[in-house]
Amino acid sequence: MRIYKIAVIEGDGIGREVVPEGMRVLEAAARRFDLALSWRQFDWSCETYLKTGRMMPADGLEQLRAFDAIYLGAVGYPGVPDHISLWGLLIPIRRAFQQYVNLRPIRLLHGIRTLLSGRKPGEIDFCIVRENTEGEYSEVGGRLHKNTDLEMAIQETIFTRRGCDRIMTYAFELASTRKHHVTSATKSNGIVFTMPFWDERFKAISRNYPNVKTDQFHIDILSAHFVSHPDWFDVVVGSNLFGDILSDLGAAVVGSMGLAPSGNLNPGRDYPSMFEPVHGSAPDIAGKGIANPVAQIWSGAMMLEHLGEKQAAQAVEQAIFRVLAASDIRTPDIGGHASTKNLGEAIAAEVSEMTARI
Ligand code: NAI
Ligand code: MG
């Protein structure tokens, strides 16, 4: 039997509600496909920070290193500044483990009403490939003249040739398995050093893929095209900040933040990759048991896929799609009255009941 060691970090807010549903569905898939998931929970969160002064212990990264994958909910909660929770846990994991690809599928599913009138499933099906280790989210910078009227803050954006080339190469490779089209998110009209460099690297890497069509748009009009022409896209590659913004917009375009999964991938497999929904800890609905668990469950399917368990991954995806298409068990964000647990249980039951191998 294949056994996978999975580190689980539920984190904060709805992370604690949706992760158990993800585990429920993945356990159902494991039973059906004869594999074993060996889970270990880490209680790293804002609550831990308030007790210990750290989001994770000093040797946290070493503890995670031994796992096959990391399954994360969300971090961040009122009472702890967001830059502390993010930089104390999520960003160090992404960087230390060279999870330089943040892969975020955006797909309109049957049974989901999009705010974009007239759009049907099949018309919106693309992937955002976000650079996940450098760019605008850098630790280079600082403050001067604190608490005086001369106060200033500088934050440097870091684009390296290696960083650009590897994320773009990933995007082109992915497009080669899909609809052979990569769109680059840029802003080289306004940002005059880093973004023209990004464009140059995009052009250089695209030469290695003569069969892949390319486009590039400045981020402002690209955002508009996500709404007006979501059918234009196959793979969209963007820097850390642009990819972050575009993924929430993408989630909204396909109906809810609760439907957007993601993988933080270390493609070389030198380190564990991490799977988490695009959304955050949603303090506004936390504790009510109404968060949509689909993004978390779907991130679990991406984890199975990354672990090489393709059939199990497809079974989980299909179970999600079937339940959303055919049942009225849905959470309030997608127009229903079901709880997080009801929807998780329905998807798990669907996985267990699927008879034909997919
Ligand atoms: P958010 O994604 O947590 O919430 C945005 C809106 O979407 C809220 O109205 C929320 O109720 C709704 N929403 C999100 N997930 C949902 C789900 N599964 N089902 C139904 N509705 C859902 O973003 P926000 O409010 O900007 O951030 C809240 C906290 O989360 C902050 O502390 C932030 O730093 C943190 N955060 C953490 C992330 C992570 O751990 N990867 C990512 C984004 C934010
Ligand atoms: Mg985000």
Side-chain angles (χ1 to χ4, degrees), residues 14 74-77 82 86 90 257-258 276 278-285 291-292 333:
I14 62 167
V75 287
Y77 219 67
D82 286 341
L86 224 60
L90 200 59
M257 285 307 298
E276 52 159 346
V278 168
H279 65 70
S281 58
D284 56 332
I285 57 165
N292 188 336
D333 58 304

Side-chain angles (χ1 to χ4, degrees), residues 51-113:
K51 277 191 244 152
T52 66
R54 302 187 65 100
M55 290 295 294
M56 63 175 163
D59 68 347
L61 293 170
E62 281 155 54
Q63 291 190 42
L64 295 177
R65 179 79 177 83
F67 287 84
D68 293 311
I70 304 161
Y71 194 47
L72 181 123
V75 287
Y77 219 67
V80 177
D82 286 341
H83 67 275
I84 292 202
S85 45
L86 224 60
W87 279 89
L89 185 70
L90 200 59
I91 295 186
I93 296 173
R94 288 174 175 171
R95 287 194 183 181
F97 295 155
Q98 287 296 309
Q99 296 167 347
Y100 65 83
V101 175
N102 194 336
L103 177 62
R104 302 181 144 185
I106 301 291
R107 197 183 313 174
L108 179 59
L109 303 179
H110 286 280
I112 298 295
R113 212 170 50 87

